[in-house]
Amino acid sequence: MSEPATRFAKHAIFADAAAKVPATRLGVAVVHDLVTAIVTGEVAEGSMLPIEAELTAHFGVSRTVIRESIKRVEEKGLVSVVQGSGTTVRSQESWNVLDPVVLEVMLEHDDSLGVLDQLAVVRSSLEGAMAAATAVRRSATELEAMEYAIQLMSDSMDDEQGFGDADMMFHMAVMAASNIPLAESINRTLYTRARDTARFTLNGTREAFEASRDEHSIVLEAIRAGDADQAERAMRHHILESWGRRRPPTSRRP
């Protein structure tokens, strides 16, 4: 086996290139697979990606698709491309973890639930601050939107999907009313990606739904009263407690 072929085959995700030659892969699938190889550590920090010809053979796409895919992965901060030297995997500190594909792959392979644990902490801080801001500047119309979401929660205790949608409606209403667009954008990305992860929505019991609805009501009352400090504490408490109720007990926190 030649040196390039040996280097190509040592990564499992690239090991069966010949068998995949007939497959036609869209660029988005190539990007997802490359991001997965890096995020999972299959292609380690500091190592080189296979050369363009090997990637072309593996994915069954043109060199143009491979070049564009590598460019997309570079834009996400996962690799560094040096003309004539190849493509090197960068350290995690350089990754754009808010990029939808990177975050999606991190959550897909979050076996220890460490990423979801961290996500809960970040969400609680950001959304707590937004709840405080909302308590100061909320309007009657915005309060009505939050009240409506909580009513939908009460009406959906036996409907997991419906309850989840009403839950999200409440959080989106609080975030929108905060008038902090940057925090809203970051938190919306974190929340929506997490909801797409099956492990984020485990243990959807009626008891858990009732506890969550009651916590949302406490947040709403603090916002209605204009009590920024209490609104922030209540939102932080709710997000952390809600994740604690859903988190599988067999998975240990890092």
Side-chain angles (χ1 to χ4, degrees), residues 110-187:
D110 185 24
D111 295 335
S112 71
L113 300 186
V115 175
L116 282 171
D117 287 339
Q118 293 176 52
L119 187 147
V121 172
V122 174
R123 272 195 64 214
S124 68
S125 296
L126 281 175
E127 205 163 338
M130 284 188 278
T134 295
V136 173
R137 56 171 61 97
R138 77 282 183 275
S139 68
T141 300
E142 290 163 340
L143 284 173
E144 287 175 2
M146 296 172 216
E147 291 166 353
Y148 179 65
I150 289 178
Q151 183 58 54
L152 286 181
M153 287 183 214
S154 295
D155 295 341
S156 306
M157 289 294 169
D158 298 314
D159 177 3
E160 185 171 357
Q161 181 64 48
F163 187 92
D165 291 345
D167 187 324
M168 186 171 187
M169 183 186 298
F170 179 88
H171 287 275
M172 294 302 177
V174 172
M175 288 191 283
S178 73
N179 197 31
I180 310 177
L182 180 58
E184 180 182 358
S185 177
I186 293 171
N187 214 47

Side-chain angles (χ1 to χ4, degrees), residues 7-60:
R7 176 167 57 80
F8 178 85
K10 71 181 181 179
H11 301 303
I13 195 168
F14 303 124
D16 192 21
K20 297 185 178 180
V21 171
T24 300
R25 302 293 298 273
L26 296 174
V28 65
V30 175
V31 170
H32 185 277
D33 285 358
L34 290 173
V35 171
T36 298
I38 294 168
V39 167
T40 60
E42 194 163 337
V43 184
E45 171 188 339
S47 65
M48 307 289 290
L49 286 184
I51 62 175
E52 187 177 282
E54 294 170 345
L55 291 173
T56 298
H58 172 75
F59 289 111

Side-chain angles (χ1 to χ4, degrees), residues 80-101:
S80 176
V81 180
V82 178
Q83 206 67 28
S85 299
T87 303
T88 306
V89 175
R90 302 180 69 185
S91 63
Q92 187 171 354
E93 290 76 15
S94 301
W95 301 354
N96 176 9
V97 296
L98 291 178
D99 177 89
V101 178

